[in-house]
Amino acid sequence: MTTITPLIAGNWKMNGLKQSLSEISELAQLLTTGEAPRALVCICPPATLLHAVAEQGASSGILAGGQDCHTANAGAHTGDISVSMLADAGAQYVIVGHSERRADHGESDDMVRAKAEAAIGAGLKPIVCVGESEAQRDAGQAVSVVAAQLAASLPDAAGQHSVVVAYEPIWAIGTGRTPNSADIAEIHDAIRAQLVERFGETGATIQILYGGSLKPQNAREILAIENVNGGLVGGASLLAKDFYTIISAV
Ligand code: PGA
């Protein structure tokens, strides 16, 4: 069986000012004084804090990631951020296709795939997000919706380069609700099968994260599910203590 090093990634979303860097110091301290983490640890802060997080986290192994990127490397795209800028600021990862970007900015699977390609081109690992709405789940379409999104959002280059997949049911994000373990397992197993079918052995090594109300209280149960290779954590990543508890649950 392939062993996959889990990844626990924190998505700060549009939260965090300079003073929030104290959470990075606290997390760094917890990570270096406690038991060695059994997972890679990454924080995706807002772009304004990326460089500081990358610098401050480096000595304790905290990796940094962006929350989005443009498909182009530079140019006339006011307000956007390119993959080379993220890499230059110290990022190793970038989240692409988060449901909030898909909803708020109309990002299509094609655009998400182009962003993932750009990320790979810059040496970043894209964290490609997929997930069904509540209506789609109620209609029994969760597996098929996720499969279609994944097929269209993951670039072929994922067969040769490091990518991460995050399954985030939209209705679980920020709501305190999560699917039950069997439902999570069903989707993660289906994603794994799809990755292996498309990428062969490489597909067996791709981290599949669960995201959506992952908390200190449910982390142990969810992270123990087969084919759950870590988590993408929103709200509970804002406080070092909570995030560390989730990391320790691996
Ligand atoms: P949540 O967010 O943990 O606050 O539900 C997860 C995410 O959107 O990545």
Side-chain angles (χ1 to χ4, degrees):
M1 215 182 84
T2 329
T3 8
I4 302 178
T5 307
L7 169 67
I8 303 292
N11 173 10
W12 281 11
K13 309 192 180 185
M14 200 172 70
N15 299 291
L17 302 174
K18 271 187 284 181
Q19 66 194 36
S20 319
L21 293 170
S22 63
E23 297 300 326
I24 300 295
S25 330
E26 190 181 336
L27 180 62
Q29 197 177 7
L30 289 165
L31 286 168
T32 46
T33 52
E35 203 188 326
R38 287 174 293 272
L40 296 169
V41 176
C42 172
I43 294 282
C44 302
T48 46
L49 296 179
L50 184 56
H51 183 59
V53 166
E55 288 219 317
Q56 214 172 299
S59 60
S60 55
I62 300 171
L63 306 167
Q67 297 179 7
D68 176 48
C69 62
H70 197 277
T71 55
N73 215 29
H77 302 287
T78 303
D80 277 313
I81 187 156
S82 79
V83 285
S84 51
M85 291 168 182
L86 295 174
D88 189 48
Q92 302 198 22
Y93 291 88
V94 58
I95 299 169
V96 294
H98 189 282
S99 62
E100 286 150 18
R101 301 276 329 163
R102 290 177 186 262
D104 298 354
H105 300 270
E107 293 192 4
S108 63
D109 290 335
D110 284 347
M111 187 181 287
V112 173
R113 188 177 67 244
K115 289 182 176 200
E117 270 161 9
I120 289 169
L124 297 176
K125 300 178 184 81
I127 301 175
V128 180
C129 302
V130 293
E132 82 286 357
S133 67
E134 183 153 38
Q136 289 165 331
R137 174 157 289 273
D138 290 345
Q141 296 166 346
V143 172
S144 61
V145 164
V146 168
Q149 269 187 347
L150 188 68
S153 303
L154 259 194
D156 289 336
Q160 296 92 49
H161 298 270
S162 288
V163 302
V164 179
V165 171
Y167 166 58
E168 299 205 300
I170 297 167
W171 53 272
I173 294 176
T175 59
R177 297 162 56 208
T178 57
N180 63 40
S181 293
D183 289 341
I184 295 175
E186 181 188 28
I187 300 278
H188 279 247
D189 290 352
I191 292 175
R192 175 66 67 210
Q194 188 176 345
L195 292 173
V196 169
E197 190 181 30
R198 181 161 166 198
F199 301 115
E201 273 178 36
T202 310
T205 66
I206 294 175
Q207 289 147 327
I208 308 173
L209 312 185
Y210 169 79
S213 297
L214 194 57
K215 303 262 183 259
Q217 299 83 330
N218 59 23
R220 199 166 283 280
E221 182 179 342
I222 292 176
L223 295 172
I225 298 169
E226 208 185 327
N227 283 320
V228 173
N229 315 115
L232 183 54
V233 187
S237 71
L238 295 171
L239 292 177
K241 260 194 207 70
D242 287 351
F243 193 52
Y244 179 72
T245 306
I246 295 175
I247 296 164
S248 307
V250 171

